[in-house]
Amino acid sequence: MALVKRTNVQFGGILLSLTGWILSCVTTYIPVWKNLNLELNELENWTMGLWQTCVVQDEGPMQCKDFDSFLALSSELKISRILMCLSNGSGIIGLLLSIFGLDCVRIGKGNQAQKNRLLLFGGIMLWTSGLSALVPVSWVAYETVQEFWDETIPDIVPRWEFGEALFMGWFGGFFLILGGSLLASLYCFARADHAPVYYTPTQQHEKCLHLDPKYPDLTI
């Protein structure tokens, strides 16, 4: 029964981590981190991501333009790019380490301690991936809220609003952290299951250790 529960936790952690990693990758590259609706021209909707800005027309295709230079970007977009790429990289490394640490994988099956360590390191990498995804998404959301309620900006100036990518990034980050926590927790449970058990004989048992009075040195 314990083995079945352990296997279920492993597959649950891998499934959550894989879902979170996919959402994180999609969030990195889709240009819908922010939305801008123009009241003067309701047929056009502007969207912005980490790599490009796009305009969507009701009667035409989406047209996108990449940012000209990385150095010309705001610090918000620069750091967000770096952290999201870090999230994608650490996520795939964590998934690979965790997969090799699964009990159903035959590689390294004779060394259970090594497989438990792989699960631990994989969980830590997935934790790093989740945090790296949550920080830029939350930062962009915070800056969007601050600009939206900035009283120094005239009311006629359009305001950026939350895009779909922010919600995908939040879900992806939480899934990565939850999946990594499940996988890393298996290392602690494995150490508790294999902890040595020491037996302390009672006083009554010590009196019965001698099998024969003729041989006082013969004990159990």
Side-chain angles (χ1 to χ4, degrees), residues 24-171:
S24 176
C25 291
V26 174
T27 301
T28 304
Y29 298 105
I30 59 175
V32 286
W33 282 58
K34 294 182 180 181
N35 294 330
L36 180 64
N37 298 323
L38 300 177
E39 296 181 357
L40 299 178
N41 187 1
E42 297 181 355
L43 299 180
E44 289 185 356
N45 293 325
W46 290 79
T47 63
M48 185 178 69
L50 299 180
W51 311 92
Q52 57 189 355
T53 302
C54 301
V55 57
V56 182
Q57 299 178 350
D58 289 346
E59 299 180 356
M62 176 185 291
Q63 298 179 354
C64 299
K65 182 179 184 300
D66 295 337
F67 294 120
D68 295 331
S69 172
F70 177 79
L71 298 178
L73 296 176
S74 62
S75 58
E76 168 191 347
L77 292 180
K78 289 179 184 177
I79 299 177
S80 296
R81 277 190 186 184
I82 296 173
L83 289 178
M84 291 305 297
C85 292
L86 175 63
S87 174
N88 299 339
S90 57
I92 189 62
I93 294 175
L95 282 171
L96 291 175
L97 291 176
S98 301
I99 288 174
F100 285 118
L102 295 177
D103 294 340
C104 61
V105 177
R106 294 186 175 275
I107 300 176
K109 197 169 185 179
N111 192 347
Q112 187 61 37
Q114 182 65 27
K115 294 177 76 68
N116 291 332
R117 283 193 290 269
L118 288 176
L119 287 176
L120 175 63
F121 294 146
I124 293 174
M125 294 299 296
L126 292 170
W127 247 86
T128 304
S129 177
L131 290 177
S132 300
L134 289 177
V135 169
V137 171
S138 301
W139 187 8
V140 171
Y142 173 78
E143 293 293 336
T144 303
V145 172
Q146 293 296 315
E147 294 176 1
F148 187 86
W149 296 109
D150 190 355
E151 297 180 354
T152 61
I153 300 177
D155 295 336
I156 60 173
V157 177
R159 312 293 178 96
W160 290 99
E161 299 180 6
F162 288 175
E164 294 81 357
L166 297 183
F167 299 98
M168 295 178 62
W170 277 320
F171 278 109

